């Protein structure tokens, strides 16, 4: 049996930096990965998808060249094999760089294989036994496959398949109108596919406020994407050379026939084959590891970080899990996951940047809410760029003026939202924001104006 000071199962976004911190403290650590170093972000998430988004935007801008007085001449075509090769090259370079960094760290042993608990301080790796007083689970998640009539009888794609696709579907059916589904829907429409999105909820990206969801729907439909919401009793079957999807949408039965089907109905944690019961680690009814405010599980000495704990589904939240654990273990701090201000982006074009609470969430939390919003048609920078789809919105507490949240759906929204996120983290009020002298012309310059226009919502 090999003994370590720590065992980390999974080399996603939290595992490698945590291994490096243990190593810097002079502790021996085993980092176990059964598939690819870098996890979802590097291999099937952030890196490859945003690389593909960039290719799709290049095609879109080229088609719009005449709007800006630029004559390209001829039609615009997309070579999917070259798009995929570029995507694989960039993701591969990121993965290899991470592997090279890990291999150069003293006190870190990178092991390959499927780790399974056989006790609260012991892990089996194939025929080898490892033990450590502290074990960290960073196994991430995968696409959730729902129980839909006919789905098991037809071929379908997940996000992992899409990033390796080197052909153009004639008609892509997207089951799921949230973040993953919409990013792929828009990019493949821009590559040249016909695209239909089918969403069970009344709105796309149902977590967002209705006006944000409807604005996203608007620009997707403007690009030729068919959107079906309120879809119930979904069923699929083979039809000729393609796939037929039936759905009852708002009382009307609708049918869409496509060449390919992407299933994008959420994620599930990779926790079902780790032997968590043998370690006394509790999970919820969806398989997510339950954790306390410091990321420790129901078993003392075992922690869960990243997507598998259900407390965040992003690269940056996984990395923040590492920061919290490291600060508490090594720096004498008492940081808590409960103090984290949520922030994230939807990488459609234009992108949506979100910080803090939505208006709906703020009301549910019991706040007396004040709201201010403006369409991107009122933003000079957006007009100059010819990209006026979307809107900006600020949410504050009507009694104290404290900033609670914001949304920027427009050019650079994924970057500009950091101004709001930072202010919320600082506990700033709308009046604090009003003192700012913004740079002109920028998208962010409208934020002080929004802060001055907050009106209570009854």
């Amino acid at each position: 049996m090999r003994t370590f000071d720590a065992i980390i199962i999974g080399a996603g976004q939290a595992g490698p930096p945590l291994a490096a911190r243990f190593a810097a403290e002079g502790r021996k650590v085993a980092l176990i990965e059964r598939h690819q170093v870098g996890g979802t972000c590097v291999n099937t998430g952030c890196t490859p998808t945003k690389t593909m988004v960039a290719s799709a935007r290049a095609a879109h801008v080229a088609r719009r060249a005449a709007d800006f007085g630029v004559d390209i001449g001829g039609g615009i075509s997309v070579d999917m094999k070259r798009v995929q090769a570029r995507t694989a090259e960039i993701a591969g370079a990121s993965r290899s760089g991470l592997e090279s960094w890990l291999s150069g760290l003293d006190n870190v042993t990178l092991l390959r294989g499927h780790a399974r608990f056989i006790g609260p301080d012991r892990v089996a790796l194939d025929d080898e036994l490892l033990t450590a007083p502290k074990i960290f689970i960073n196994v991430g998640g995968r696409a959730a496959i729902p129980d839909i009539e006919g789905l098991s009888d037809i071929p379908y794609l997940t996000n992992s398949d899409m990033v390796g696709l080197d052909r153009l579907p004639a008609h892509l059916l997207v089951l799921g109108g949230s973040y993953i589904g919409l990013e792929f829907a828009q990019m493949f429409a821009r590559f040249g596919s016909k695209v239909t999105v089918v969403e069970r909820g009344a709105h796309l990206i149902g977590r967002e406020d209705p006006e944000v969801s409807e604005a996203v729907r608007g620009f997707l439909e403007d690009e030729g994407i068919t959107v079906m919401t309120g879809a119930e009793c979904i069923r699929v079957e083979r039809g000729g050379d393609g796939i037929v999807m039936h759905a009852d949408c708002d009382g009307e039965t609708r049918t869409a026939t496509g060449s390919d089907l992407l299933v994008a109905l959420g994620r599930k944690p990779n926790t079902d084959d780790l032997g968590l019961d043998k370690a006394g680690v509790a999970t919820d009814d969806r398989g997510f590891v339950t954790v306390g405010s410091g990321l420790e599980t129901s078993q003392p000495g075992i922690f869960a970080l990243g997507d598998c704990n259900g407390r965040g589904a992003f690269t940056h939240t996984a990395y923040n899990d590492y920061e919290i654990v490291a600060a508490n273990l090594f720096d004498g701090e008492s940081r808590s996951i409960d103090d984290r201000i949520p922030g994230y982006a939807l990488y459609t074009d234009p992108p949506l940047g979100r910080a803090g609470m939505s208006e709906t969430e703020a009301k549910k939390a019991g706040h007396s809410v004040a709201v201010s919003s403006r369409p991107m048609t009122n933003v000079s920078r957006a007009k100059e760029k010819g990209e006026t789809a979307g809107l900006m919105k600020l949410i504050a507490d009507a009694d104290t003026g404290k900033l609670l949240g914001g949304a920027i759906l427009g050019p650079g929204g994924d970057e500009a939202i950091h101004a709001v996120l930072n202010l919320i983290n600082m506990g700033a009020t709308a009046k604090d924001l009003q003192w700012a002298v913004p740079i002109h012309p920028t998208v962010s310059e409208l934020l002080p104006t929004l802060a001055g226009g907050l009106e209570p919502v009854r």
Side-chain angles (χ1 to χ4, degrees), residues 135-180:
I135 301 178
F136 302 87
I137 305 168
N138 179 222
V139 293
R142 62 188 186 275
I145 306 302
D147 183 14
I148 287 178
E149 182 181 342
L151 188 60
S152 60
D153 299 325
I154 64 170
Y156 58 83
L157 304 164
T158 67
N159 66 295
S160 298
D161 303 310
M162 296 298 289
V163 298
L165 206 60
D166 63 357
R167 61 179 176 83
L168 188 66
H171 186 171
L172 178 65
L173 304 177
V174 179
L175 181 52
S178 196
Y179 309 97
I180 293 173

Side-chain angles (χ1 to χ4, degrees), residues 205-439:
I205 42 176
R207 156 178 198 173
E208 306 300 336
D209 288 329
E211 67 267 38
V212 173
S213 298
E214 288 306 304
V216 171
R217 178 175 187 154
F219 66 68
L220 292 178
E221 290 182 330
D222 285 346
E223 292 190 30
I225 296 171
T226 300
V227 177
M228 298 162 54
T229 52
E232 300 177 351
C233 298
I234 299 171
R235 54 204 180 279
V236 293
E237 61 184 0
R238 293 180 184 272
D241 295 330
I243 297 166
V244 181
M245 180 182 296
H246 307 277
D248 297 332
C249 298
D250 299 321
E252 175 189 358
T253 299
R254 298 183 63 182
T255 298
T257 301
S259 59
D260 297 83
L261 172 64
L262 165 62
V263 179
L265 287 171
R267 308 281 290 172
K268 66 179 296 183
N270 294 324
T271 58
D272 48 337
D273 59 357
L274 298 179
L276 296 179
D277 56 326
K278 294 182 173 59
V281 174
T283 60
D284 65 15
D285 57 1
R286 296 181 299 164
F288 290 100
V289 179
T290 55
V291 295
S293 60
L295 285 310
E296 195 166 23
T297 69
S298 57
Q299 179 62 249
I302 300 180
F303 299 75
L305 296 80
D307 295 8
C308 69
N309 64 29
R311 300 295 295 272
F314 306 102
T315 293
H316 50 279
T317 52
Y319 188 83
N320 184 237
D321 285 356
Y322 143 70
E323 292 177 311
I324 291 170
V325 167
N328 294 346
L329 289 179
F330 299 116
D331 301 330
E333 297 184 19
S334 190
R335 293 181 60 175
S336 167
I337 193 174
D338 298 326
D339 296 330
R340 182 158 65 203
I341 303 297
Y344 56 87
L346 163 67
Y347 293 93
T348 51
D349 182 23
L352 167 66
R354 277 266 282 108
M357 299 179 183
S358 67
E359 179 182 346
T360 304
E361 290 166 340
K363 289 177 179 176
K364 284 183 179 178
H367 290 278
S368 176
V369 175
V371 172
S372 180
S373 66
R374 296 288 188 282
M376 278 293 158
T377 51
N378 286 3
V379 180
S380 294
R381 183 67 170 151
K383 289 188 283 187
E384 292 150 5
K385 290 171 68 71
E387 300 174 18
T388 55
L391 57 94
M392 303 175 69
K393 182 175 182 179
L394 279 182
I395 301 100
D397 186 284
D399 298 324
T400 65
K402 186 175 180 179
L403 291 171
L404 299 176
I408 303 178
L409 175 62
D414 52 330
E415 298 286 351
I417 197 63
H418 283 90
V420 180
L421 184 60
N422 292 340
L423 286 165
I424 296 173
N425 272 289
M426 294 169 62
T429 66
K431 190 168 288 294
D432 294 326
L433 179 51
Q434 285 178 259
W435 284 102
V437 179
I439 299 169

Side-chain angles (χ1 to χ4, degrees), residues 48-56 83 87 162-163 184 187-188 191:
T49 58
K50 277 54 196 178
T51 303
M52 294 172 73
V53 164
S55 292
V83 169
T87 300
M162 296 298 289
V163 298
F184 280 117
M187 75 171 77
F188 273 85
F191 288 148

